[in-house]
Amino acid sequence: MHKNMLVAAGCLWLAAGPVLAEGWNHPGWQDSADTRVKALALLQTLNATLLSNSSATRTLQQWCAEHRMAAPAQIRALRNPADHKDASAEVRAQLRAQPDERVAYRRVQLACGEHALSEADNWYLPSKLTAEMNRQLDGSDVPFGRAVAALNFRRQTEEVKLLWSPLEAGWEMKPAPKAGAGGLDIAQQVLQHRAVLYRGSDNAPFSVVVETYQRDVFAFPLAY
């Protein structure tokens, strides 16, 4: 796979949309050169932190706590059990799944307070998990990383995509962008990671996850 690395049921996700507060309006996020540079630095910081940790859930919980986005800063998975996507041939190959082996699918939003920080598509091998892990994943809103933590897994990021940038390519060689009339226009999706998880005991792959990080990672007041 081509690697494009940057520097660095309870709660349900209903078909009509996430069960979270709508709109995006936080103090300090006015469209200016200074704000755009801060947004880029924050995005690169988040990306580097995700790349250096095995658990995206733990990283997002720390991010939520550090930026005082919710109290308590607890990550929960909003899940719609009806969602389903068959594993592609590429996913099955990455999981080293046998021809008749079942590949389960789970799609969630990872939220902290009222903020949906990411959406995750996860294909995994139930045969590589314990019965209790499968029970939690099938019947609760526990985040995947928390449910399988006992596997002492490692995470190998295969691809990173920057889906939005507050500054255009070559910005450092150009005049500072002019300030806009209103708030900074942040795309709904800002960053995407694709990763494979491997068990610590035998290095066997058991999960392929595609995480799409949302603009609510910026949902806190920005200091002037």
Side-chain angles (χ1 to χ4, degrees):
M1 175 183 295
H2 171 68
K3 297 184 180 180
N4 176 24
M5 305 300 288
L6 288 174
V7 179
C11 293
L12 297 181
W13 178 10
L14 302 179
V19 189
L20 297 171
E22 296 182 357
W24 200 93
N25 183 22
H26 298 277
W29 289 95
Q30 296 302 303
D31 190 356
S32 69
D34 183 60
T35 300
R36 286 175 176 270
V37 171
K38 287 182 178 180
L40 182 59
L42 284 164
L43 188 56
Q44 294 285 19
T45 298
L46 175 62
N47 182 61
T49 307
L50 288 164
L51 288 172
S52 63
N53 285 277
S54 62
S55 172
T57 301
R58 187 164 55 246
T59 297
L60 289 178
Q61 186 157 307
Q62 180 182 348
W63 182 269
C64 184
E66 289 177 348
H67 295 93
R68 303 175 186 176
M69 299 168 70
Q74 186 72 25
I75 297 295
R76 67 191 193 281
L78 306 182
R79 183 174 67 98
N80 184 352
D83 280 342
H84 181 74
K85 289 183 183 178
D86 290 332
S88 66
E90 180 184 18
V91 167
R92 295 189 67 89
Q94 287 183 297
L95 291 172
R96 303 174 197 164
Q98 298 300 310
D100 59 346
E101 189 170 7
R102 174 174 170 256
V103 177
Y105 173 77
R106 196 173 192 249
R107 178 176 173 83
V108 300
Q109 285 184 330
L110 291 184
C112 190
E114 295 185 341
H115 307 297
L117 304 182
S118 76
E119 296 178 357
D121 294 289
N122 194 313
W123 294 268
Y124 62 95
L125 298 176
S127 62
K128 295 291 195 294
L129 310 182
T130 67
E132 174 60 18
M133 291 174 186
N134 282 310
R135 185 193 68 77
Q136 290 188 52
L137 293 173
D138 288 340
S140 77
D141 64 350
V142 64
F144 189 87
R146 192 173 298 156
V148 303
L151 295 179
N152 295 316
F153 63 89
R154 71 176 180 88
R155 174 189 174 102
Q156 180 173 309
T157 303
E158 298 288 339
E159 186 176 33
V160 174
K161 293 180 181 179
L162 184 64
L163 303 180
W164 171 78
S165 176
L167 294 167
E168 62 183 42
W171 63 271
E172 69 280 8
M173 304 293 291
K174 300 175 182 178
K178 295 181 180 179
L184 180 62
D185 185 15
I186 301 177
Q188 183 63 48
Q189 300 177 341
V190 297
L191 179 68
Q192 188 175 83
H193 281 200
R194 181 187 179 99
V196 180
L197 306 185
Y198 296 84
R199 289 193 306 198
S201 58
D202 56 4
N203 207 36
F206 67 92
S207 169
V208 172
V209 61
V210 177
E211 299 155 344
T212 305
Y213 296 90
Q214 309 294 300
R215 67 180 177 183
D216 263 20
V217 297
F218 299 114
F220 55 88
L222 186 66
Y224 291 95

